[in-house]
Structures are given as structure tokens and as C-alpha cells.
Amino acid sequence: MEQTINQRIDAIISSLNMNQKVFAESLGKAPTVIYNIVNGRNKPGFEIIESLLKKYPQINSSWLLTGEGEMFTTTPILTPPTPTSDSYLQEYLKKLEERFEKLLSQKDKLIESQQYLIEHLESRLGKLKGVTDGAKVLPLWSKKIVKKETQARA
């Protein structure tokens, strides 16, 4: 059974040790474009074929278009797609940093709202004596007061 051009493009991606996203980025295309081609939803247009053959000159154009001959005109260069991978990682890192900054901002806003709520409640209730003194927690009632109240009730 003869391969379709869609299947040949999928074979190229595999032979270059890439995934569809990295391959699409190497051609300057959206990953969905390559996904739809590989899955047979769309046929590749002239622009895709042209950019593929310019970017990867070792691919046999006759094989790509007709399936005749070998996939590569020479031994394939199996170098990892460093610039594209690096740009993907840089983009991902940037997104993570933005998300982290957003979470920090949300945390700060939450702390501020909690501090406001505490201050509001303290002003409404009056600050309880003996609750805190600096960093150490003090008891609300001393043992003497509890004993006196117990004796008074009896």
C-alpha cells in the first residue's frame, strides 16, 4: 500500500527525531497545522511543502511528492533541534515565571485582605488583653482568676 503525502510527512518528523510541535515551529507554522496534516484532516499546501524542503534540504522532494525513491537524498542529519527546543523551553520558562509572579501577587493580596479583616475585627471587638505580646502567646486567663471564679461559684 502506497503512503499518502500526509503519512510521508509524519515519517519525516519521526526520522528527524522531532515531535509535531517542534517540527511545526521549525517551519514557522502553528502546531495545529502539522497536526491536521499528519492526521489526514488536511493536505499540505504548497507553502508547507516549500518551507519543508528549504528547511530540510536532505529530504528527497520526489519522494515527498510521489513516494518514489528514498526519503533522504543523503544520510539524514539527526541533530537535535537545539534552537527550536531552546526557544520552546525559553517560552515555557517565561510562562512559568509569569504564572509564578501572578501567584505571588495573589498571595500578597490575600495576605493584605486577611490583615485588613483582622484589623477590622480587632477594632470592632476591641483587642483582647493577653492574646499576644510580640511573638509569644500569652494565656487569656491566669490560673488565679480561674480559681477565684471557681471558688466564688461554690
Side-chain angles (χ1 to χ4, degrees):
M1 182 173 155
E2 189 175 303
Q3 284 185 322
T4 65
I5 191 166
N6 305 61
Q7 293 169 328
R8 289 190 291 273
I9 289 175
D10 189 33
I12 290 169
I13 294 168
S14 296
S15 294
L16 294 172
N17 293 327
M18 294 184 178
N19 61 38
Q20 292 176 14
K21 180 174 177 31
V22 173
F23 182 73
E25 289 173 351
S26 75
L27 299 179
K29 302 297 176 194
T32 54
V33 171
I34 300 302
Y35 176 83
N36 288 333
I37 291 170
V38 168
N39 290 313
R41 185 172 186 181
N42 298 335
K43 294 269 186 203
F46 177 77
E47 188 179 317
I48 297 285
I49 294 169
E50 180 183 34
S51 59
L52 190 156
L53 292 172
K54 283 183 180 178
K55 179 72 178 176
Y56 303 101
Q58 70 271 29
I59 294 174
N60 181 346
S61 60
S62 178
W63 175 84
L64 177 62
L65 296 172
T66 65
E68 294 176 6
E70 298 297 318
M71 180 187 301
F72 295 101
T73 55
T74 61
T75 305
I77 303 168
L78 298 177
T79 57
T82 307
T84 307
S85 294
D86 287 348
S87 65
Y88 169 74
L89 291 174
Q90 291 296 332
E91 182 180 322
Y92 186 71
L93 181 60
K94 183 179 177 184
K95 287 180 182 178
L96 284 176
E97 289 172 345
E98 289 170 358
R99 179 71 176 139
F100 183 71
E101 290 296 324
K102 185 176 179 182
L103 288 172
L104 281 178
S105 175
Q106 289 174 346
K107 175 199 66 105
D108 291 342
K109 288 177 183 177
L110 181 62
I111 289 171
E112 285 177 26
S113 69
Q114 294 297 317
Q115 287 174 337
Y116 173 77
L117 181 60
I118 290 169
E119 290 170 5
H120 176 70
L121 291 173
E122 284 177 346
S123 69
R124 299 274 313 225
L125 297 172
K127 187 163 182 163
L128 297 174
K129 294 184 179 179
V131 175
T132 60
D133 184 18
K136 51 185 185 174
V137 176
L138 303 175
L140 289 173
W141 299 278
S142 68
K143 291 180 183 178
K144 291 180 185 178
I145 295 173
V146 173
K147 283 183 184 178
K148 286 181 186 177
E149 286 180 10
T150 307
Q151 290 171 355
R153 290 183 191 163

